[in-house]
Amino acid sequence: MAAIELRGVTKRYERAGLFRGRSVTALHDLDLTVESGEIFGFLGPNGAGKSTTIDLLLGYAAPTAGSVTVLGEDVATERTAVRERIGVLPDGYGAVGERTGREHVEFAIEAKGADDDPDELIERVGMRGPDEYPVTQYSKGMAQRLMLAVALAGDPDLLVLDEPSTGLDPNGARTMRRIVREENERGATVFFSSHIMEQVEAVCDRVAILDGGELVAVDTIDALRDSAGGTSTVTLELSSVPEETVRYVRALEGVAGLKTDGSSVVIGCEDGAKAAVIAAFHDSPATVRDVETSETSLEDLFERYTRGVAQ
Amino acid sequence: MSRFDSLALFVREDVRDTIRERQLYALVGIYALLGLFLVYAEAQSIGTEPELTPVLFSFFTMLTPLLALGFFASSIVEKRTNGAFKIVFGLPVGRGAVVVGTFLARTLVVCAAVVVGMIVTVPVGAVLGVAIDPAQFVGVAALLSLLGAAFTAFAVGISAVVRTSTRATVAAFGVFVLFFFQLWAQLPRAVLYVVNGFSYPETTPEWVDLVAALNPMSAYANLAAGLSADLGGGTFASPPTDPVFYEEPAFGLAVLLGWVVLAIGGGYWRFQATDL
């Protein structure tokens, strides 16, 4: 069964007005399926429609057209019931009144009819201590940890995390990744949005890239790299630079360029040609002291797929 | 978790929110201080036999609509603009539970404030020799609670519909002027004036008075006057000595309950269909 299924979803925001009425199409005819049990990354630049998609998944907003199904339930009719099985870390949230962090967690546990121990959840996200203070006084990162604890209440079947790493320190980001993996191993589907590809790559099985309200790609990161025709860089540290090998490597298929600098050689080539390049230098008279390879930077990949914001 | 459980949870936590934000203390303090002042002033009055409940009734009747609207007009819209609903509606809590729950919680709060404000006057009144009619005392507490509920319903209904706190404040002020200052009664007259070719007819038709009786403050005054003749103060409405059916206490009670249902129902109807 699919955990999330969007069919032909369009969301248009209308601003009524006699003189300054206008409309913005945040999502345009979106089809997306997230399978049960996977960790799914939802990528896109600012303003691509990521948060709007999440608003529709959770019933914060209703789609202008199309259907949204979450855990087999139609969100249009089962908006409240379906949230019993979802854990949410939303974007743009604010504290409920003057409640403390702990009271937020307790409220979530009780609202879900769960029997979690609030202490355990607070411990798990690493925010013991501040939990006794009102959330209005929290820093962004501490609030994110708290919201993760709220999301984990009741062992949800689906976790929806909107930009979960925002404001987290490196330890917090690591905790977040660890918890995402743990929850996934427990059997939960994880859907999370981000504009930072490194974080997505670290945990996700598949990713979707959203741009200007439309899906531009859905695949694994490796497959995206391949289909984007990414180039790699190979840097070799040699005892000397063998002229003959350099000429040979320049002529290899898939090699885009070669640069020598003293005793080091930098080769730009397709991912597939890397092995041949390294082998050629290894077989040459020169001794290979160090090899460094890098794949297409994720930033380049991101840039290649996306162009801008919703029109 | 059933709908009832989540409603009960929301009411409990919303009441506790008013304690955390010291709203409950502020309201109790205002009523208690005013109550104590009134019982003291009544004890000093010369000429008539000092009596507790009528004076409490008049002043608390003036205060309650103002406080209910002032304190609660931002109750829902504030959570919407600061993002608290992103948390609440990420949990299995329905939109209906929030509108109805806020209404119930804030009604409890205003009723508690009224009742505490009245009870603190009893020992002081007894010491100062102010007469207290127990039956009337209980009746007045019930009447004021009903008034508090009606205006809390207006405040929560407004709060569920508007998108900013500023608009909620303005709308609440409009409701206060419309109902408390009897602007409402002028509306059917204005319609009559226009329909009649921009002049008043010689006899006022029945429906004009009927519409005027639908003002919650008039309904409240009619209800109070019907229960006890000396509960006449506190409003700009003047209950007739010889009431027709729509000026009877029972009709007044029905009108007040009708406004509660209308305000909360309307608020829910708009709120459940809106994007956060």
Side-chain angles (χ1 to χ4, degrees):
Chain A
M1 187 195 68
I4 295 173
E5 210 167 352
L6 303 179
R7 287 285 160 267
V9 170
T10 296
K11 178 64 184 174
R12 215 170 12 254
Y13 288 104
E14 309 273 359
R15 188 196 145 115
L18 219 47
F19 302 110
R20 292 172 59 192
R22 58 177 185 226
S23 79
V24 174
T25 304
L27 293 175
H28 186 72
D29 198 20
L30 193 69
D31 289 306
L32 179 68
T33 306
V34 176
E35 296 301 333
S36 197
E38 67 179 337
I39 304 182
F40 194 89
F42 198 47
L43 282 161
N46 303 132
K50 301 190 295 293
S51 289
T52 298
T53 307
I54 288 178
D55 284 353
L56 300 182
L57 291 181
L58 301 174
Y60 292 160
T64 311
S67 72
V68 182
T69 313
V70 175
L71 298 171
E73 310 257 20
D74 185 352
V75 175
T77 54
E78 297 298 325
R79 183 164 63 185
T80 307
V82 73
R83 287 196 302 252
E84 291 181 11
R85 295 158 58 203
I86 308 180
V88 184
L89 196 168
D91 177 45
Y93 56 84
V96 185
E98 290 288 316
R99 294 182 199 177
T100 65
R102 189 191 185 74
E103 285 164 337
H104 277 78
V105 175
E106 286 168 348
F107 182 70
I109 292 169
E110 220 174 317
K112 287 192 167 175
D115 54 1
D116 293 281
D117 177 4
D119 284 314
E120 223 167 86
L121 287 176
I122 287 165
E123 191 77 60
R124 199 168 163 205
V125 299
M127 55 162 289
R128 178 165 297 294
D131 63 304
E132 298 296 339
Y133 295 104
V135 175
T136 44
Q137 298 172 8
Y138 279 22
S139 69
K140 177 71 182 170
M142 199 48 76
Q144 287 289 99
R145 285 170 187 247
L146 170 72
M147 284 311 296
L148 183 62
V150 166
L152 293 175
D155 292 336
D157 297 335
L158 170 66
L159 276 170
V160 177
L161 315 174
D162 198 350
E163 308 257 359
S165 314
T166 311
L168 288 178
D169 58 29
N171 292 334
R174 201 173 314 122
T175 306
M176 175 77 67
R177 281 198 296 274
R178 195 194 69 227
I179 288 173
V180 164
R181 284 202 201 91
E182 285 168 0
E183 290 296 298
N184 184 244
E185 277 158 27
R186 177 176 64 74
T189 309
V190 183
F191 179 88
F192 84 85
S193 81
S194 180
H195 58 270
I196 304 168
M197 281 200 85
E198 279 77 2
Q199 286 166 0
V200 173
E201 189 193 32
V203 287
C204 287
D205 301 321
R206 285 201 308 151
V207 298
I209 298 180
L210 190 69
D211 189 32
E214 293 180 33
L215 272 188
V216 290
V218 184
D219 218 325
T220 62
I221 290 217
D222 287 341
L224 289 181
R225 257 195 239 277
D226 289 348
S227 62
T231 53
S232 306
T233 319
V234 180
T235 309
L236 292 147
E237 201 64 46
L238 304 166
S239 56
S240 63
V241 179
E243 285 303 318
E244 199 160 320
T245 313
V246 166
R247 265 197 304 280
Y248 168 74
V249 168
R250 271 192 214 277
L252 275 177
E253 197 177 332
V255 173
L258 186 150
K259 207 167 58 178
T260 57
D261 177 20
S263 61
S264 69
V265 183
V266 182
I267 303 107
C269 62
E270 282 174 15
D271 286 339
K274 276 192 296 196
V277 167
I278 296 168
F281 279 100
H282 189 74
D283 294 342
S284 76
T287 312
V288 179
R289 290 201 183 119
D290 193 16
V291 180
E292 227 177 85
T293 69
S294 67
E295 294 176 296
T296 315
S297 90
L298 291 166
E299 229 165 278
D300 290 346
L301 195 61
F302 188 74
E303 214 174 270
R304 211 161 299 166
Y305 276 104
T306 62
R307 62 192 156 73
V309 297
Q311 305 299 308
Chain B
M1 188 127 170
S2 74
R3 274 165 175 235
F4 181 78
D5 289 336
S6 80
L7 177 64
L9 171 68
F10 191 85
V11 171
R12 192 191 78 201
E13 287 303 314
D14 202 48
V15 169
R16 289 174 64 188
D17 278 343
T18 66
I19 297 170
R20 292 178 192 119
E21 289 159 38
R22 298 179 178 65
Q23 221 178 44
L24 180 64
Y25 302 137
L27 278 171
V28 168
I30 291 169
Y31 278 105
L33 282 177
L34 181 68
L36 291 173
F37 171 76
L38 289 174
V39 69
Y40 177 76
E42 183 69 11
Q44 309 299 311
S45 66
I46 309 153
T48 54
E49 168 93 358
E51 237 192 308
L52 182 64
T53 40
V55 65
L56 283 182
F57 174 81
S58 315
F59 282 88
F60 282 12
T61 294
M62 282 189 261
L63 197 62
T64 302
L66 191 64
L67 290 182
L69 287 168
F71 272 73
F72 303 144
S74 60
S75 54
I76 288 180
V77 72
E78 195 178 63
K79 291 199 178 77
R80 184 171 179 169
T81 48
N82 88 345
F85 279 159
K86 288 279 175 82
I87 298 179
V88 173
F89 291 126
L91 299 167
V93 176
R95 305 261 179 118
V98 166
V99 175
V100 175
T102 304
F103 164 67
L104 292 177
R106 306 299 165 112
T107 299
L108 282 174
V109 167
V110 77
C111 291
V114 165
V115 169
V116 172
M118 287 180 72
I119 286 174
V120 295
T121 62
V122 172
V124 181
V127 170
L128 297 177
V130 179
I132 300 166
D133 176 347
Q136 200 184 43
F137 187 85
V138 173
V140 165
L143 278 170
L144 287 168
S145 296
L146 184 62
L147 184 67
F151 277 85
T152 303
F154 287 127
V156 171
I158 288 168
S159 205
V161 171
V162 298
R163 295 198 78 96
T164 69
S165 292
T166 313
R167 288 181 201 171
T169 309
V170 172
F173 182 72
V175 162
F176 185 70
V177 171
L178 178 67
F179 291 142
F180 194 82
F181 292 110
Q182 295 290 331
L183 196 65
W184 174 273
Q186 301 308 316
L187 298 181
R189 285 181 215 289
V191 171
L192 183 67
Y193 182 76
V194 172
V195 166
N196 199 47
F198 293 93
S199 67
Y200 285 111
E202 285 178 14
T203 55
T204 309
E206 182 93 9
W207 63 265
V208 171
D209 288 334
L210 173 62
V211 171
L214 295 178
N215 179 343
M217 287 311 295
S218 302
Y220 174 78
N222 291 340
L223 174 59
L227 290 186
S228 168
D230 48 344
L231 298 181
T235 67
F236 287 102
S238 33
T241 42
D242 188 17
V244 278
F245 82 92
Y246 54 78
E247 291 156 346
E248 294 283 354
F251 191 85
L253 178 66
V255 168
L256 283 172
L257 295 178
W259 277 113
V260 170
V261 171
L262 196 69
I264 296 304
Y268 168 68
W269 176 64
R270 288 293 303 272
F271 189 63
Q272 55 88 24
T274 193
D275 289 352
L276 291 180

